[in-house]
Amino acid sequence: MTLDDKQIINEFVNMNSIESYEYLFSSLYMWRKLNRVKYAIIDDTLIIEKNEEGKGTFYARPLHYKKENLVNLIEILKKRNEDYTDRDYFFGDVDQDFINDLKEYTDYNIEIIEDVDDFEYVYKTEDLIELRGKKYHGKKNHVNTFEKTYNYEIKAITNESVIKDCLELLHKWHEEVLKTIDKEMCMEIDAIKDIFGELQYLNLESIAVYVDEKLAGFTVGERVNDKLAVIHVERGELEYKGVYAFINRKFLMECFSDTEFVNRQEDTGNSGLRKAKKSYHPVKMVKKYLVKLS
């Protein structure tokens, strides 16, 4: 997958009503190296192949498939899989609608696994901007603390100086928070560096928050349509009290205030991240499933 594939992928995505951010070109491109993303068009259907740690290689939900041809499509993919041994799951990142079609239009034996760690958190944009009521009292206090304590400035990630600062913060974040820089984490840094150079082409929005000319945090996201925004990256320096609550709210105010919902992606099974995402009170979870098929 390269930047040249953007139009092809977008055409198929736009023809389908997919809730998950996983199918956005920006996401596929960003993680193409880590997840070894490939694609093919078979019978006017987009097939995306991915590899994820702990899951092996699988096919994502086919896009623009004909229900009556679903068996033929799967047989082509099954034939391809004969040459590989890392295929514990046939499909991944699929929704309930696709599972329903598998049950109705095919006779395969299907085992369905809820990919709970990969469920995506969706919030009302207005809730995360206004922070009204008792349930958001703590978040509002964090925002107020940041705004009253620090002399801050907002910049877009549009020049080499800001990009350099963001990458330095990323390295520091991995060393201090994760206590390691392993291969996967290095690839994450490389993935984020990739999109910094293509923010405009990928139609991504960004802000970097500086305190006394030092980077305190940054975030990158995109508008999917009139109703939905997606947050792709968010990192902050924990030494600045309330930085995450501030960035979360400020980014939505500056770039996505007219959307109805915001998808803040999954928690990957990380207990701290899960607690943080739940604390913002999602209104919906985008459920994703893994499928074994025989």
Side-chain angles (χ1 to χ4, degrees):
M1 182 165 289
T2 71
L3 286 172
D4 293 336
D5 300 314
K6 178 185 174 185
Q7 183 176 347
I8 295 172
I9 302 301
N10 284 348
E11 285 176 358
F12 279 94
V13 170
N14 292 338
M15 287 189 289
N16 293 263
S17 178
I18 303 293
E19 293 185 293
S20 172
Y21 80 93
E22 301 268 17
Y23 295 82
L24 298 175
F25 177 77
S26 54
S27 180
L28 292 168
Y29 177 78
M30 181 178 178
W31 302 112
R32 71 194 186 284
K33 297 175 186 175
L34 179 61
N35 294 332
R36 302 204 291 269
V37 178
K38 300 176 183 178
Y39 80 91
I41 297 172
I42 303 171
D43 190 24
D44 198 29
T45 300
L46 176 66
I47 307 294
I48 297 167
E49 181 184 86
K50 301 170 67 177
N51 178 283
E52 293 186 8
E53 185 178 5
K55 302 174 188 177
T57 302
F58 57 83
Y59 301 107
R61 180 192 191 278
L63 297 184
H64 197 239
Y65 62 90
K66 300 177 183 69
K67 295 179 181 181
E68 62 273 17
N69 291 343
L70 193 51
V71 171
N72 291 336
L73 188 66
I74 290 173
E75 286 300 313
I76 292 171
L77 298 178
K78 286 181 71 176
K79 182 68 176 176
R80 182 173 188 274
N81 279 8
E82 292 176 1
D83 296 328
Y84 299 93
T85 59
D86 64 338
R87 312 277 163 139
D88 293 337
Y89 302 102
F90 197 88
F91 290 112
D93 292 339
V94 302
D95 56 16
Q96 187 62 53
D97 287 343
F98 181 66
I99 289 173
N100 292 342
D101 283 346
L102 285 176
K103 292 178 178 179
E104 182 174 353
Y105 293 93
T106 80
D107 294 321
Y108 297 109
N109 292 318
I110 299 169
E111 182 181 351
I112 303 162
I113 301 95
E114 281 195 339
D115 198 1
V116 177
D117 294 346
D118 228 21
F119 285 5
E120 298 168 23
Y121 292 75
V122 178
Y123 309 82
K124 288 193 69 173
T125 306
E126 182 182 10
D127 288 347
L128 300 196
I129 291 176
E130 299 297 333
L131 299 177
R132 293 194 190 101
K134 185 177 180 180
K135 65 181 180 180
Y136 289 113
H137 181 70
K139 301 297 182 187
K140 197 156 194 175
N141 282 344
H142 289 322
V143 172
N144 290 338
T145 295
F146 185 90
E147 291 180 337
K148 292 177 180 178
T149 304
Y150 305 109
N151 178 31
Y152 66 86
E153 179 185 5
I154 306 296
K155 299 181 181 180
I157 306 173
T158 54
N159 62 62
E160 289 301 320
S161 175
V162 177
I163 290 174
K164 180 175 178 290
D165 290 342
C166 290
L167 293 175
E168 288 178 355
L169 189 153
L170 267 177
H171 279 280
K172 183 179 179 183
W173 189 88
H174 283 302
E175 291 170 355
E176 294 184 352
V177 177
L178 299 181
K179 310 297 183 185
T180 183
I181 291 287
D182 59 19
K183 180 181 178 182
E184 183 174 346
M185 292 304 102
C186 285
M187 290 182 76
E188 181 186 44
I189 293 171
D190 187 47
I192 295 172
K193 182 179 179 180
D194 265 358
I195 65 168
F196 281 162
E198 302 294 345
L199 290 177
Q200 186 173 0
Y201 182 77
L202 294 173
N203 304 121
L204 300 177
E205 302 286 349
S206 65
I207 64 169
V209 181
Y210 282 78
V211 172
D212 296 326
E213 299 184 356
K214 180 181 177 183
L215 182 66
F218 69 91
T219 183
V220 177
E222 75 176 286
R223 178 187 303 274
V224 178
N225 50 48
D226 291 341
K227 288 189 175 182
L228 180 67
V230 170
I231 307 303
H232 286 295
V233 182
E234 186 181 79
R235 293 290 187 273
E237 284 275 23
L238 295 177
E239 66 183 86
Y240 298 101
K241 295 180 179 179
V243 64
Y244 275 106
F246 174 80
I247 290 174
N248 183 342
R249 179 173 182 263
K250 191 68 173 178
F251 192 33
L252 295 178
M253 289 175 64
E254 296 245 334
C255 300
F256 307 117
S257 62
D258 58 339
T259 62
E260 188 173 355
F261 299 103
V262 54
N263 182 325
R264 292 184 57 80
Q265 304 194 13
E266 64 279 296
D267 58 42
T268 67
N270 180 289
S271 59
L273 197 53
R274 181 167 294 177
K275 182 179 179 181
K277 288 182 182 289
K278 286 184 175 180
S279 71
Y280 278 97
H281 307 286
V283 295
K284 181 178 182 178
M285 302 295 290
V286 176
K287 295 183 177 182
K288 292 180 284 188
Y289 302 88
L290 296 158
V291 174
K292 292 184 178 182
L293 182 151
S294 60

